[in-house]
Amino acid sequence: MKIIIGSDHGGYSLKNLIIAHLEQQSIEIQDMGCHSEASCDYPIIAKEVAKQVLLTNNRGILVCGTGIGMSIAANKFKGIRASLCGDTYSARMTRKHNNSNILCLGERVIGSGLALDIVDEWLITDFEGGRHERRINMLELE
Ligand code: RB5
């Protein structure tokens, strides 16, 4: 599995920490930007990551100041189930029950230690399927 990752300026530092953390585990990364702390627009990055996740059937991580803008933007794309998580329980459950394919994090909201734990939990947890498959299919009806 390859992780498609992106941030705006508000999530740039945490994105770099996550990349280093995942590379240490020999996980392949595709970084869709941004590439500096200069101010940029989170919807553009969210769109690039969402498109790439759908195209390659991999999973993605999006970071902004709160994680909220990224999650709103990513969830506009059919087939994307982006989850804003601030705790490891939610990270685990959104994989098990929602088959979350994008994790959103807020750099200005949570500490980096917790953020990396959330990433790890989200990455190792599998979708449970069954009744949850029926429910996530209902998200695509309109
Ligand atoms: C940028 O200042 C900030 O608005 C952005 O990172 C994000 O938090 C938006 O939801």
Side-chain angles (χ1 to χ4, degrees):
M1 178 181 53
K2 177 166 74 172
I3 296 298
I4 321 294
I5 196 164
S7 76
D8 71 351
H9 54 289
Y12 180 68
S13 301
L14 179 56
K15 182 186 72 169
N16 287 334
L17 286 180
I18 294 169
I19 290 172
H21 180 69
L22 296 182
E23 283 178 345
Q24 258 180 4
Q25 300 173 53
S26 302
I27 294 173
E28 193 186 344
I29 302 289
Q30 188 174 350
D31 185 358
M32 307 302 290
C34 61
H35 299 292
S36 80
E37 283 174 351
S39 182
C40 64
D41 301 324
Y42 65 82
I44 292 172
I45 304 291
K47 182 177 179 180
E48 291 308 312
V49 169
K51 275 168 44 184
Q52 204 59 20
V53 164
L54 292 169
L55 202 67
T56 65
N57 202 27
N58 279 300
R59 280 152 65 186
I61 298 177
L62 283 167
V63 194
C64 64
T66 59
I68 297 171
M70 285 296 196
S71 60
I72 292 171
N75 277 316
K76 299 283 182 194
F77 292 83
K78 188 175 163 62
I80 292 296
R81 293 173 302 281
S83 311
L84 172 58
C85 293
D87 63 272
T88 53
Y89 178 80
S90 299
R92 185 163 67 251
M93 296 313 287
T94 197
R95 285 290 308 135
K96 282 179 184 246
H97 288 189
N98 313 126
N99 200 11
S100 165
N101 53 8
I102 294 187
L103 173 66
C104 299
L105 296 164
E107 176 181 322
R108 297 172 183 161
V109 182
I110 55 171
S112 56
L114 175 57
L116 296 181
D117 277 358
I118 289 170
V119 167
D120 287 343
E121 193 70 25
W122 184 81
L123 281 178
I124 61 167
T125 307
D126 290 328
F127 180 47
E128 278 181 355
R131 67 188 186 282
H132 302 296
E133 181 88 52
R134 183 183 77 243
R135 290 169 184 161
I136 67 166
N137 287 340
M138 292 168 82
L139 298 170
E140 307 291 348
L141 287 180
E142 302 192 21

